[in-house]
Amino acid sequence: MKRVRKAVFPVAGLGTRFLPATKAVPKEMLTVVDRPVIQYVVDEAREAGIEHFIFVTGRNKAVIEDHFDIQFELYDTLAQRGKDDQLARLQRLQPAPGQTSFTRQQVPMGLGHAVWCARELVGDEPFALLLPDMIMQSEKSCTKAMVELYEETGNNIIAVQECDPAETHKYGIVGRGEDTHHGFRITEMVEKPKAGTAPSNLYINGRYILQPEIFKILEGQEKGAGNEIQLTDAMLKLEKQQPFYGYHYRGRTFDCGSPEGFVEANVAFALWRSDMNENMAGVIRTLLDELKPSERRGAAF
C-alpha cells in the first residue's frame, strides 16, 4: 500500500461572490485573522504528513505561488530589525524547496477537470484532495484522521459531516453502511438529492483521499451538472471498482467561499486564540448590545 504523500489544492476559481475584494486578489488569499485561507488548508495537509503540495491555478493567481516562496527582502528586513519571532514563524510555514508544484486549469470546467489537470504531478499514487474554500477547526486535523483511516483500509476516503436533514438538497450526500475501524463503508453518493430522497444527512465536506485510477475515469468523463466535469460522477464510477470509506468529522467547518462563512471563520478563529479570545469576546458582546435589530436591518445593502 502506497503512502499518501501528495495533496491537490484546486485554486483556479474566480471568487465572484467576494467582488470587488477579489477583483485583483485571489479569494484564497483573503485572510482569516492573520493568515490567508489557503495557508490554513496547506497547514492541515502538512499536519497529516503531506510532503508535496500541488496547486491547480488559473490566471491572476501568481500571488499564491509568491506566498509560498521565500521573500528575501522581507526576511532580511525582519532579521535586521531583530524581529526573530516573526521571522521564525514565517520560516516554519515555508515549504521546503521542491515541495510545491503549480499547474494551470486554463478553462473553468469544474472540480473534476481541475483534479484531472494535476494527473502528471500526482502520478501513480494515492493523493489527498483539499478544497480551499473549506477551512476546519479541531484538535486533530480532518486530513490527518483521514490518512489514519486510509492506512487501515487502503482505499478511497471521503470526509463527511452532519447537516440539517432539510438542507440535504444543497450538498453531496453519502449513504452509510457498516462501521469499520474508525470510519464506515459508503454505500452510495448522491449529488444534491431531491427533498426527501437523501440516503442520510451526511454531506461531503471538501476533503478526500483518492486512488490514482480516478484520473483515467476523469479523462473520459462527460460533462454533468452545470455543464462541467463533476468529481462526484467520476467517484461513482470508481466506486464500482474500489471501495469508498467515510470519515465522520466532528470538528467545525467554515465555508469561506461565502461571505457569511468567511466572517464566521474570522470570528471563530479569533475566539480560538488565547491572545485574542478575551478582547474579541468583549468586542462582540458590545457590538451585539449597541447595534439594535432595527439598525441591523437598515444597515443591509
Side-chain angles (χ1 to χ4, degrees):
M1 182 176 64
K2 294 182 178 179
R3 191 165 63 87
V4 180
R5 301 186 310 110
K6 299 179 180 181
V8 174
F9 307 90
V11 294
L14 297 176
T16 54
R17 286 187 285 181
F18 282 93
L19 287 170
T22 51
K23 182 179 178 182
V25 178
K27 63 176 181 175
E28 297 84 8
M29 291 301 295
L30 298 178
T31 56
V32 172
V33 187
D34 58 0
R35 282 192 290 169
V37 169
I38 188 62
Q39 185 70 63
Y40 285 91
V41 185
V42 169
D43 290 346
E44 178 185 334
R46 183 185 284 113
E47 183 184 337
I50 297 299
E51 301 170 356
H52 190 177
F53 308 97
I54 300 168
F55 299 85
V56 181
T57 72
R59 286 180 291 279
N60 301 320
K61 299 282 185 168
V63 68
I64 296 176
E65 187 169 352
D66 291 340
H67 175 73
F68 290 103
D69 200 358
I70 292 174
Q71 296 201 15
F72 292 101
E73 297 86 353
L74 174 61
Y75 288 11
D76 183 61
T77 299
L78 291 174
Q80 290 185 30
R81 294 180 179 178
K83 296 186 177 183
D84 297 334
D85 290 343
Q86 289 178 307
L87 179 57
R89 184 186 182 202
L90 289 176
Q91 290 173 334
R92 284 196 302 271
L93 297 175
Q94 181 75 52
Q99 279 195 319
T100 56
S101 295
F102 296 82
T103 187
R104 284 288 186 100
Q105 183 189 21
Q106 287 93 341
V107 182
M109 292 176 60
L111 176 58
H113 181 259
V115 173
W116 181 75
C117 288
R119 65 198 182 281
E120 297 295 340
L121 293 169
V122 173
D124 188 26
E125 297 185 37
F127 64 99
L129 170 64
L130 293 86
L131 304 192
D133 282 349
M134 314 299 284
I135 65 172
M136 300 180 173
Q137 189 181 71
S138 57
E139 293 301 325
K140 177 192 286 188
S141 84
C142 180
T143 303
K144 181 176 177 61
M146 292 173 67
V147 168
E148 292 172 355
L149 180 57
Y150 165 80
E151 290 171 349
E152 295 170 349
T153 64
N155 284 291
N156 304 281
I157 311 293
I158 298 176
V160 298
Q161 286 181 257
E162 294 178 358
C163 69
D164 185 334
E167 297 187 344
T168 53
H169 64 283
K170 299 178 180 179
Y171 305 103
I173 303 294
V174 304
R176 180 165 189 153
E178 72 277 6
D179 291 341
T180 177
H181 304 286
H182 68 285
F184 62 90
R185 183 72 179 265
I186 290 176
T187 57
E188 56 183 311
M189 290 176 273
V190 185
E191 187 65 32
K192 297 181 180 179
K194 293 181 180 179
T197 66
S200 74
N201 69 329
L202 296 174
Y203 76 94
I204 301 171
N205 70 4
R207 299 291 186 268
Y208 312 77
I209 293 176
L210 299 171
Q211 295 292 330
E213 287 78 10
I214 194 75
F215 293 121
K216 188 65 176 178
I217 295 172
L218 287 169
E219 185 174 348
Q221 181 66 48
E222 296 179 355
K223 293 181 180 179
N227 200 33
E228 296 180 334
I229 297 175
Q230 298 292 336
L231 180 65
T232 302
D233 294 341
M235 291 194 301
L236 286 169
K237 292 181 180 179
L238 183 60
E239 193 268 338
K240 295 178 181 178
Q241 308 169 20
Q242 301 174 354
F244 275 74
Y245 291 87
Y247 167 66
H248 191 170
Y249 175 68
R250 291 178 170 83
R252 295 187 183 93
T253 298
F254 305 97
D255 181 3
C256 290
S258 72
E260 297 85 356
F262 177 73
V263 173
E264 182 184 1
N266 269 280
V267 173
F269 276 91
L271 291 173
W272 215 36
R273 285 178 46 160
S274 59
D275 62 330
M276 301 180 68
N277 175 278
E278 186 174 347
N279 182 57
M280 287 304 304
V283 169
I284 292 168
R285 282 192 292 266
T286 299
L287 289 173
L288 289 172
D289 290 340
E290 292 180 351
L291 191 59
K292 295 179 175 58
S294 60
E295 294 172 340
R296 288 203 293 270
R297 286 195 297 270
F301 62 90

